[in-house]
Amino acid sequence: MRPTEDTYRHKGLRKKLVQGIQAKGITDERVLDAILEVPRHFFLDSAFDEVAYEDRAFPIGEGQTISQPYTVAYQSQLLEIKRFEKVLEIGTGSAYQAVVLAEMGVQVYTIERQKNLFEANKKFELLKKYPTIKFFYGDGYEGLPTYAPFDKVIITAAAPDIPQKLIDQLKIGGMMVIPVGAGDVQQMKRITKLDNGALKEEVFDRFSFVPMLGGKES
Ligand code: SAH
């Protein structure tokens, strides 16, 4: 069962969490405000209530995880989000990252390949507060050509390479943030599509994500 109450204790724990990720180097105020706002314990079973605001990943079923808040903040900061942008997310999972982005004022298009996780989000009451998030069941490698181009693309699973179809769905001047690597550890990269269509690649810290897999799973 999911918790439904956001108490003063939870709010206090969120404040501490935000101070923690600030101490780890996150400076974007809009990212920090979003983390402060979003009740992360709602995304987990109530069994996790005591630990929901620890800066760690947790299991959400189907062998998948809710990302560590620091990682969510790190990717969100690299995206240099501006209000009203269109953002494509690959790997909805718990929908925590999607809600953090929606809280920052963008339109989120998010794709999940696991049917059970996709269906669970349909019943997740909190998400009704976020009509700016559109949920899709499908293979993230294909992106969403119908809704392209996007200002930003965020991949929340480890990709062995940079998926060309997703680069194609990026606007000129748009950015993709993606953990790249086939092993246990990936390198966070930011790809910017320049005015002439060429790609600029920047390399950031190392992270450990679950793998980005091809195809759909029912
Ligand atoms: N953004 C999530 C992180 C979830 S972990 C959160 O905030 O909690 C990564 C997710 O990516 C998993 O749910 C996994 O099923 C999904 N995934 C992996 N490969 C995918 C693909 N090709 N297309 C869509 N989703 C994918």
Side-chain angles (χ1 to χ4, degrees):
M1 279 277 286
R2 290 182 192 272
T4 48
E5 245 190 302
D6 191 24
T7 64
Y8 282 108
R9 187 182 69 85
H10 292 116
K11 291 187 171 85
L13 290 171
R14 269 205 304 282
K15 210 169 242 175
K16 281 209 183 117
L17 172 65
V18 167
Q19 287 163 354
I21 59 179
Q22 219 168 355
K24 289 180 190 168
I26 303 299
T27 53
D28 187 328
E29 291 290 340
R30 291 157 313 158
V31 173
L32 296 168
D33 285 349
I35 303 270
L36 189 62
E37 207 54 47
V38 179
R40 189 179 190 235
H41 63 293
F42 282 24
F43 294 76
L44 292 160
D45 189 273
S46 52
F48 289 91
D49 198 69
E50 288 300 315
V51 292
Y53 291 99
E54 289 180 12
D55 193 12
R56 305 165 38 189
F58 290 107
I60 55 168
E62 311 299 324
Q64 302 304 329
T65 56
I66 177 172
S67 299
Q68 186 180 340
Y70 172 67
T71 308
V72 170
Y74 193 97
Q75 285 194 287
S76 304
Q77 175 163 291
L78 282 183
L79 282 174
E80 296 184 356
I81 292 295
K82 294 177 198 71
R83 278 187 87 78
F84 309 123
E85 283 185 331
K86 258 170 83 180
V87 181
L88 173 64
E89 180 194 28
I90 310 303
T92 314
S94 69
Y96 179 66
Q97 171 76 71
V99 167
V100 166
L101 290 170
E103 204 47 71
M104 293 172 72
V106 299
Q107 175 84 49
V108 185
Y109 296 78
T110 183
I111 313 179
E112 173 56 54
R113 69 179 286 281
Q114 295 236 21
K115 190 81 187 241
N116 289 349
L117 295 178
F118 172 77
E119 292 294 336
N121 282 331
K122 283 192 187 165
K123 293 179 236 142
F124 184 6
E125 206 56 36
L126 179 76
L127 299 181
K128 300 199 168 63
K129 271 180 60 190
Y130 296 94
T132 54
I133 309 176
K134 304 272 181 277
F135 295 87
F136 298 85
Y137 167 55
D139 178 5
Y141 275 106
E142 299 299 322
L144 292 170
T146 326
Y147 298 90
F150 297 95
D151 297 289
K152 306 284 161 69
V153 176
I154 173 172
I155 320 281
T156 68
D161 318 281
I162 293 161
Q164 183 58 42
K165 284 186 185 167
L166 301 184
I167 292 286
D168 293 343
Q169 293 176 30
L170 204 53
K171 278 187 194 168
I172 294 285
M175 288 173 172
M176 171 188 291
V177 172
I178 176 169
V180 184
D184 288 344
V185 177
Q186 303 87 39
Q187 198 87 52
M188 193 65 76
K189 293 191 177 179
R190 181 167 64 188
I191 316 296
T192 306
K193 198 181 253 190
L194 303 175
D195 287 348
N196 60 4
L199 302 177
K200 176 174 104 177
E201 185 175 310
E202 297 165 281
V203 179
F204 298 92
D205 294 325
R206 287 169 186 275
F207 288 87
S208 200
F209 284 80
V210 297
M212 182 167 173
L213 304 171
K216 286 194 282 193
E217 208 160 294
S218 54

PDB file of all heavy atoms in Angstrom, residues 64-67 89-97 111-114 117 138-141 156-157 210-213, ligand 1:
ATOM      1  N   GLN A  64      13.159  -3.282 -10.856  1.00  0.00           N
ATOM      2  CA  GLN A  64      13.499  -1.890 -11.163  1.00  0.00           C
ATOM      3  C   GLN A  64      13.603  -1.070  -9.885  1.00  0.00           C
ATOM      4  O   GLN A  64      13.233  -1.531  -8.814  1.00  0.00           O
ATOM      5  CB  GLN A  64      12.463  -1.291 -12.114  1.00  0.00           C
ATOM      6  CG  GLN A  64      12.342  -2.063 -13.419  1.00  0.00           C
ATOM      7  CD  GLN A  64      13.666  -2.183 -14.155  1.00  0.00           C
ATOM      8  OE1 GLN A  64      14.512  -1.294 -14.067  1.00  0.00           O
ATOM      9  NE2 GLN A  64      13.870  -3.278 -14.868  1.00  0.00           N
ATOM     10  N   THR A  65      14.091   0.152 -10.024  1.00  0.00           N
ATOM     11  CA  THR A  65      14.315   0.976  -8.837  1.00  0.00           C
ATOM     12  C   THR A  65      13.773   2.385  -9.031  1.00  0.00           C
ATOM     13  O   THR A  65      13.602   2.842 -10.158  1.00  0.00           O
ATOM     14  CB  THR A  65      15.830   1.096  -8.537  1.00  0.00           C
ATOM     15  OG1 THR A  65      16.480   1.610  -9.704  1.00  0.00           O
ATOM     16  CG2 THR A  65      16.438  -0.223  -8.147  1.00  0.00           C
ATOM     17  N   ILE A  66      13.499   3.055  -7.911  1.00  0.00           N
ATOM     18  CA  ILE A  66      13.295   4.502  -7.918  1.00  0.00           C
ATOM     19  C   ILE A  66      14.688   5.082  -7.745  1.00  0.00           C
ATOM     20  O   ILE A  66      15.441   4.664  -6.869  1.00  0.00           O
ATOM     21  CB  ILE A  66      12.330   4.967  -6.795  1.00  0.00           C
ATOM     22  CG1 ILE A  66      12.195   6.491  -6.766  1.00  0.00           C
ATOM     23  CG2 ILE A  66      12.723   4.451  -5.428  1.00  0.00           C
ATOM     24  CD1 ILE A  66      11.080   6.991  -5.792  1.00  0.00           C
ATOM     25  N   SER A  67      15.069   6.011  -8.617  1.00  0.00           N
ATOM     26  CA  SER A  67      16.432   6.540  -8.595  1.00  0.00           C
ATOM     27  C   SER A  67      16.723   7.265  -7.282  1.00  0.00           C
ATOM     28  O   SER A  67      15.820   7.759  -6.609  1.00  0.00           O
ATOM     29  CB  SER A  67      16.637   7.528  -9.750  1.00  0.00           C
ATOM     30  OG  SER A  67      16.457   6.884 -10.974  1.00  0.00           O
ATOM     31  N   GLU A  89      11.176  11.685 -21.394  1.00  0.00           N
ATOM     32  CA  GLU A  89      11.899  10.841 -20.441  1.00  0.00           C
ATOM     33  C   GLU A  89      11.791   9.380 -20.866  1.00  0.00           C
ATOM     34  O   GLU A  89      10.695   8.901 -21.159  1.00  0.00           O
ATOM     35  CB  GLU A  89      11.319  10.971 -19.025  1.00  0.00           C
ATOM     36  CG  GLU A  89      12.084  10.086 -18.037  1.00  0.00           C
ATOM     37  CD  GLU A  89      11.409   9.870 -16.677  1.00  0.00           C
ATOM     38  OE1 GLU A  89      10.169   9.926 -16.604  1.00  0.00           O
ATOM     39  OE2 GLU A  89      12.126   9.617 -15.711  1.00  0.00           O
ATOM     40  N   ILE A  90      12.923   8.673 -20.866  1.00  0.00           N
ATOM     41  CA  ILE A  90      12.903   7.236 -21.123  1.00  0.00           C
ATOM     42  C   ILE A  90      13.114   6.522 -19.790  1.00  0.00           C
ATOM     43  O   ILE A  90      14.130   6.736 -19.124  1.00  0.00           O
ATOM     44  CB  ILE A  90      14.019   6.822 -22.123  1.00  0.00           C
ATOM     45  CG1 ILE A  90      14.016   7.690 -23.375  1.00  0.00           C
ATOM     46  CG2 ILE A  90      13.900   5.329 -22.447  1.00  0.00           C
ATOM     47  CD1 ILE A  90      12.734   7.720 -24.154  1.00  0.00           C
ATOM     48  N   GLY A  91      12.135   5.675 -19.417  1.00  0.00           N
ATOM     49  CA  GLY A  91      12.218   4.925 -18.152  1.00  0.00           C
ATOM     50  C   GLY A  91      11.411   5.590 -17.049  1.00  0.00           C
ATOM     51  O   GLY A  91      11.959   6.125 -16.090  1.00  0.00           O
ATOM     52  N   THR A  92      10.070   5.549 -17.170  1.00  0.00           N
ATOM     53  CA  THR A  92       9.192   6.193 -16.182  1.00  0.00           C
ATOM     54  C   THR A  92       9.406   5.622 -14.791  1.00  0.00           C
ATOM     55  O   THR A  92       9.453   6.381 -13.816  1.00  0.00           O
ATOM     56  CB  THR A  92       7.702   5.952 -16.544  1.00  0.00           C
ATOM     57  OG1 THR A  92       7.502   6.204 -17.924  1.00  0.00           O
ATOM     58  CG2 THR A  92       6.790   6.818 -15.695  1.00  0.00           C
ATOM     59  N   GLY A  93       9.510   4.288 -14.694  1.00  0.00           N
ATOM     60  CA  GLY A  93       9.674   3.625 -13.397  1.00  0.00           C
ATOM     61  C   GLY A  93       8.624   4.078 -12.411  1.00  0.00           C
ATOM     62  O   GLY A  93       7.417   4.027 -12.671  1.00  0.00           O
ATOM     63  N   SER A  94       9.057   4.601 -11.279  1.00  0.00           N
ATOM     64  CA  SER A  94       8.154   5.051 -10.214  1.00  0.00           C
ATOM     65  C   SER A  94       7.444   6.354 -10.562  1.00  0.00           C
ATOM     66  O   SER A  94       6.525   6.760  -9.866  1.00  0.00           O
ATOM     67  CB  SER A  94       8.970   5.279  -8.944  1.00  0.00           C
ATOM     68  OG  SER A  94       9.818   6.408  -9.120  1.00  0.00           O
ATOM     69  N   ALA A  95       7.918   7.056 -11.596  1.00  0.00           N
ATOM     70  CA  ALA A  95       7.416   8.376 -12.004  1.00  0.00           C
ATOM     71  C   ALA A  95       7.958   9.511 -11.131  1.00  0.00           C
ATOM     72  O   ALA A  95       7.557  10.669 -11.285  1.00  0.00           O
ATOM     73  CB  ALA A  95       5.891   8.448 -12.074  1.00  0.00           C
ATOM     74  N   TYR A  96       8.896   9.215 -10.236  1.00  0.00           N
ATOM     75  CA  TYR A  96       9.445  10.265  -9.358  1.00  0.00           C
ATOM     76  C   TYR A  96      10.171  11.336 -10.183  1.00  0.00           C
ATOM     77  O   TYR A  96       9.924  12.530 -10.030  1.00  0.00           O
ATOM     78  CB  TYR A  96      10.371   9.640  -8.309  1.00  0.00           C
ATOM     79  CG  TYR A  96      10.998  10.649  -7.379  1.00  0.00           C
ATOM     80  CD1 TYR A  96      10.213  11.380  -6.483  1.00  0.00           C
ATOM     81  CD2 TYR A  96      12.375  10.890  -7.383  1.00  0.00           C
ATOM     82  CE1 TYR A  96      10.785  12.314  -5.624  1.00  0.00           C
ATOM     83  CE2 TYR A  96      12.957  11.821  -6.522  1.00  0.00           C
ATOM     84  CZ  TYR A  96      12.152  12.529  -5.654  1.00  0.00           C
ATOM     85  OH  TYR A  96      12.728  13.455  -4.805  1.00  0.00           O
ATOM     86  N   GLN A  97      11.042  10.900 -11.081  1.00  0.00           N
ATOM     87  CA  GLN A  97      11.764  11.870 -11.910  1.00  0.00           C
ATOM     88  C   GLN A  97      10.790  12.703 -12.758  1.00  0.00           C
ATOM     89  O   GLN A  97      10.955  13.921 -12.885  1.00  0.00           O
ATOM     90  CB  GLN A  97      12.768  11.123 -12.820  1.00  0.00           C
ATOM     91  CG  GLN A  97      13.437  11.975 -13.876  1.00  0.00           C
ATOM     92  CD  GLN A  97      14.531  12.877 -13.343  1.00  0.00           C
ATOM     93  OE1 GLN A  97      15.611  12.408 -12.963  1.00  0.00           O
ATOM     94  NE2 GLN A  97      14.271  14.171 -13.293  1.00  0.00           N
ATOM     95  N   ILE A 111       8.159   7.415 -21.160  1.00  0.00           N
ATOM     96  CA  ILE A 111       7.925   6.069 -21.720  1.00  0.00           C
ATOM     97  C   ILE A 111       8.458   5.002 -20.778  1.00  0.00           C
ATOM     98  O   ILE A 111       9.579   5.120 -20.276  1.00  0.00           O
ATOM     99  CB  ILE A 111       8.641   5.888 -23.083  1.00  0.00           C
ATOM    100  CG1 ILE A 111       8.402   7.076 -24.014  1.00  0.00           C
ATOM    101  CG2 ILE A 111       8.215   4.580 -23.749  1.00  0.00           C
ATOM    102  CD1 ILE A 111       9.102   6.949 -25.361  1.00  0.00           C
ATOM    103  N   GLU A 112       7.643   3.956 -20.561  1.00  0.00           N
ATOM    104  CA  GLU A 112       8.066   2.802 -19.758  1.00  0.00           C
ATOM    105  C   GLU A 112       7.821   1.528 -20.569  1.00  0.00           C
ATOM    106  O   GLU A 112       6.761   1.365 -21.164  1.00  0.00           O
ATOM    107  CB  GLU A 112       7.286   2.773 -18.432  1.00  0.00           C
ATOM    108  CG  GLU A 112       7.512   1.539 -17.566  1.00  0.00           C
ATOM    109  CD  GLU A 112       8.981   1.298 -17.226  1.00  0.00           C
ATOM    110  OE1 GLU A 112       9.631   2.209 -16.699  1.00  0.00           O
ATOM    111  OE2 GLU A 112       9.465   0.189 -17.528  1.00  0.00           O
ATOM    112  N   ARG A 113       8.789   0.608 -20.550  1.00  0.00           N
ATOM    113  CA  ARG A 113       8.656  -0.626 -21.344  1.00  0.00           C
ATOM    114  C   ARG A 113       8.040  -1.778 -20.557  1.00  0.00           C
ATOM    115  O   ARG A 113       7.682  -2.804 -21.139  1.00  0.00           O
ATOM    116  CB  ARG A 113      10.013  -1.058 -21.908  1.00  0.00           C
ATOM    117  CG  ARG A 113      10.989  -1.553 -20.876  1.00  0.00           C
ATOM    118  CD  ARG A 113      12.302  -1.978 -21.497  1.00  0.00           C
ATOM    119  NE  ARG A 113      12.218  -3.244 -22.199  1.00  0.00           N
ATOM    120  CZ  ARG A 113      12.227  -4.444 -21.614  1.00  0.00           C
ATOM    121  NH1 ARG A 113      12.282  -4.552 -20.297  1.00  0.00           N
ATOM    122  NH2 ARG A 113      12.183  -5.542 -22.325  1.00  0.00           N
ATOM    123  N   GLN A 114       7.937  -1.636 -19.227  1.00  0.00           N
ATOM    124  CA  GLN A 114       7.345  -2.706 -18.410  1.00  0.00           C
ATOM    125  C   GLN A 114       5.886  -2.395 -18.144  1.00  0.00           C
ATOM    126  O   GLN A 114       5.559  -1.420 -17.465  1.00  0.00           O
ATOM    127  CB  GLN A 114       8.085  -2.793 -17.071  1.00  0.00           C
ATOM    128  CG  GLN A 114       9.513  -3.218 -17.231  1.00  0.00           C
ATOM    129  CD  GLN A 114       9.828  -4.446 -16.404  1.00  0.00           C
ATOM    130  OE1 GLN A 114       8.909  -5.190 -16.032  1.00  0.00           O
ATOM    131  NE2 GLN A 114      11.095  -4.662 -16.145  1.00  0.00           N
ATOM    132  N   LEU A 117       4.658  -1.713 -14.473  1.00  0.00           N
ATOM    133  CA  LEU A 117       5.009  -0.397 -13.918  1.00  0.00           C
ATOM    134  C   LEU A 117       4.133   0.678 -14.554  1.00  0.00           C
ATOM    135  O   LEU A 117       3.651   1.585 -13.878  1.00  0.00           O
ATOM    136  CB  LEU A 117       6.491  -0.098 -14.153  1.00  0.00           C
ATOM    137  CG  LEU A 117       7.483  -1.010 -13.424  1.00  0.00           C
ATOM    138  CD1 LEU A 117       8.920  -0.647 -13.785  1.00  0.00           C
ATOM    139  CD2 LEU A 117       7.295  -0.934 -11.919  1.00  0.00           C
ATOM    140  N   GLY A 138       5.835   1.627 -24.015  1.00  0.00           N
ATOM    141  CA  GLY A 138       6.508   1.332 -25.274  1.00  0.00           C
ATOM    142  C   GLY A 138       8.006   1.201 -25.089  1.00  0.00           C
ATOM    143  O   GLY A 138       8.512   1.204 -23.960  1.00  0.00           O
ATOM    144  N   ASP A 139       8.690   1.073 -26.206  1.00  0.00           N
ATOM    145  CA  ASP A 139      10.147   0.944 -26.199  1.00  0.00           C
ATOM    146  C   ASP A 139      10.763   2.333 -26.367  1.00  0.00           C
ATOM    147  O   ASP A 139      10.638   2.952 -27.424  1.00  0.00           O
ATOM    148  CB  ASP A 139      10.574   0.023 -27.347  1.00  0.00           C
ATOM    149  CG  ASP A 139      12.086  -0.116 -27.430  1.00  0.00           C
ATOM    150  OD1 ASP A 139      12.791   0.422 -26.545  1.00  0.00           O
ATOM    151  OD2 ASP A 139      12.558  -0.762 -28.387  1.00  0.00           O
ATOM    152  N   GLY A 140      11.431   2.768 -25.319  1.00  0.00           N
ATOM    153  CA  GLY A 140      12.050   4.090 -25.317  1.00  0.00           C
ATOM    154  C   GLY A 140      13.044   4.309 -26.452  1.00  0.00           C
ATOM    155  O   GLY A 140      13.286   5.452 -26.851  1.00  0.00           O
ATOM    156  N   TYR A 141      13.625   3.233 -26.960  1.00  0.00           N
ATOM    157  CA  TYR A 141      14.577   3.375 -28.075  1.00  0.00           C
ATOM    158  C   TYR A 141      13.912   4.009 -29.297  1.00  0.00           C
ATOM    159  O   TYR A 141      14.576   4.613 -30.122  1.00  0.00           O
ATOM    160  CB  TYR A 141      15.174   2.025 -28.465  1.00  0.00           C
ATOM    161  CG  TYR A 141      16.377   1.640 -27.632  1.00  0.00           C
ATOM    162  CD1 TYR A 141      16.284   0.658 -26.651  1.00  0.00           C
ATOM    163  CD2 TYR A 141      17.619   2.251 -27.832  1.00  0.00           C
ATOM    164  CE1 TYR A 141      17.385   0.300 -25.877  1.00  0.00           C
ATOM    165  CE2 TYR A 141      18.719   1.903 -27.073  1.00  0.00           C
ATOM    166  CZ  TYR A 141      18.599   0.928 -26.099  1.00  0.00           C
ATOM    167  OH  TYR A 141      19.688   0.580 -25.337  1.00  0.00           O
ATOM    168  N   THR A 156      16.795   7.540 -18.128  1.00  0.00           N
ATOM    169  CA  THR A 156      17.023   7.168 -16.723  1.00  0.00           C
ATOM    170  C   THR A 156      17.361   5.688 -16.582  1.00  0.00           C
ATOM    171  O   THR A 156      17.119   5.080 -15.541  1.00  0.00           O
ATOM    172  CB  THR A 156      15.824   7.563 -15.829  1.00  0.00           C
ATOM    173  OG1 THR A 156      14.696   6.753 -16.166  1.00  0.00           O
ATOM    174  CG2 THR A 156      15.453   9.023 -16.001  1.00  0.00           C
ATOM    175  N   ALA A 157      17.921   5.103 -17.643  1.00  0.00           N
ATOM    176  CA  ALA A 157      18.449   3.739 -17.606  1.00  0.00           C
ATOM    177  C   ALA A 157      19.780   3.774 -18.353  1.00  0.00           C
ATOM    178  O   ALA A 157      20.014   4.672 -19.166  1.00  0.00           O
ATOM    179  CB  ALA A 157      17.471   2.774 -18.273  1.00  0.00           C
ATOM    180  N   VAL A 210      20.076   0.893 -13.757  1.00  0.00           N
ATOM    181  CA  VAL A 210      19.637  -0.390 -14.327  1.00  0.00           C
ATOM    182  C   VAL A 210      19.695  -0.244 -15.851  1.00  0.00           C
ATOM    183  O   VAL A 210      19.604   0.858 -16.366  1.00  0.00           O
ATOM    184  CB  VAL A 210      18.209  -0.780 -13.868  1.00  0.00           C
ATOM    185  CG1 VAL A 210      18.155  -0.996 -12.361  1.00  0.00           C
ATOM    186  CG2 VAL A 210      17.173   0.263 -14.274  1.00  0.00           C
ATOM    187  N   PRO A 211      19.861  -1.358 -16.576  1.00  0.00           N
ATOM    188  CA  PRO A 211      20.077  -1.236 -18.025  1.00  0.00           C
ATOM    189  C   PRO A 211      18.843  -0.791 -18.812  1.00  0.00           C
ATOM    190  O   PRO A 211      17.715  -1.107 -18.453  1.00  0.00           O
ATOM    191  CB  PRO A 211      20.501  -2.652 -18.442  1.00  0.00           C
ATOM    192  CG  PRO A 211      20.039  -3.546 -17.361  1.00  0.00           C
ATOM    193  CD  PRO A 211      19.956  -2.744 -16.106  1.00  0.00           C
ATOM    194  N   MET A 212      19.088  -0.056 -19.887  1.00  0.00           N
ATOM    195  CA  MET A 212      18.053   0.267 -20.868  1.00  0.00           C
ATOM    196  C   MET A 212      17.954  -0.941 -21.790  1.00  0.00           C
ATOM    197  O   MET A 212      18.934  -1.351 -22.398  1.00  0.00           O
ATOM    198  CB  MET A 212      18.458   1.510 -21.659  1.00  0.00           C
ATOM    199  CG  MET A 212      17.428   1.952 -22.671  1.00  0.00           C
ATOM    200  SD  MET A 212      17.809   3.608 -23.279  1.00  0.00           S
ATOM    201  CE  MET A 212      16.587   3.762 -24.585  1.00  0.00           C
ATOM    202  N   LEU A 213      16.751  -1.539 -21.848  1.00  0.00           N
ATOM    203  CA  LEU A 213      16.553  -2.768 -22.616  1.00  0.00           C
ATOM    204  C   LEU A 213      15.709  -2.470 -23.829  1.00  0.00           C
ATOM    205  O   LEU A 213      14.891  -1.536 -23.814  1.00  0.00           O
ATOM    206  CB  LEU A 213      15.858  -3.824 -21.736  1.00  0.00           C
ATOM    207  CG  LEU A 213      16.571  -4.160 -20.426  1.00  0.00           C
ATOM    208  CD1 LEU A 213      15.700  -5.028 -19.537  1.00  0.00           C
ATOM    209  CD2 LEU A 213      17.907  -4.848 -20.700  1.00  0.00           C
TER     210      LEU A 213
HETATM  211  N1  SAH B   1      12.911   7.498 -13.770  1.00  0.00           N
HETATM  212  C1  SAH B   1      12.699   6.417 -12.826  1.00  0.00           C
HETATM  213  C2  SAH B   1      13.894   5.479 -12.785  1.00  0.00           C
HETATM  214  C3  SAH B   1      13.457   4.094 -13.068  1.00  0.00           C
HETATM  215  S1  SAH B   1      14.724   2.877 -13.349  1.00  0.00           S
HETATM  216  C4  SAH B   1      12.325   6.927 -11.466  1.00  0.00           C
HETATM  217  O1  SAH B   1      12.328   8.137 -11.252  1.00  0.00           O
HETATM  218  O2  SAH B   1      12.011   6.144 -10.594  1.00  0.00           O
HETATM  219  C5  SAH B   1      14.725   2.757 -15.116  1.00  0.00           C
HETATM  220  C6  SAH B   1      13.425   2.392 -15.789  1.00  0.00           C
HETATM  221  O3  SAH B   1      13.691   2.335 -17.197  1.00  0.00           O
HETATM  222  C7  SAH B   1      12.844   1.022 -15.424  1.00  0.00           C
HETATM  223  O4  SAH B   1      11.532   1.186 -14.989  1.00  0.00           O
HETATM  224  C8  SAH B   1      12.928   0.219 -16.733  1.00  0.00           C
HETATM  225  O5  SAH B   1      11.844  -0.686 -16.886  1.00  0.00           O
HETATM  226  C9  SAH B   1      12.874   1.322 -17.763  1.00  0.00           C
HETATM  227  N2  SAH B   1      13.418   1.010 -19.092  1.00  0.00           N
HETATM  228  C10 SAH B   1      14.515   0.289 -19.404  1.00  0.00           C
HETATM  229  N3  SAH B   1      14.685   0.237 -20.741  1.00  0.00           N
HETATM  230  C11 SAH B   1      13.653   0.945 -21.296  1.00  0.00           C
HETATM  231  C12 SAH B   1      13.257   1.245 -22.633  1.00  0.00           C
HETATM  232  N4  SAH B   1      13.926   0.800 -23.703  1.00  0.00           N
HETATM  233  N5  SAH B   1      12.146   1.995 -22.811  1.00  0.00           N
HETATM  234  C13 SAH B   1      11.416   2.453 -21.762  1.00  0.00           C
HETATM  235  N6  SAH B   1      11.744   2.181 -20.479  1.00  0.00           N
HETATM  236  C14 SAH B   1      12.843   1.445 -20.244  1.00  0.00           C
END
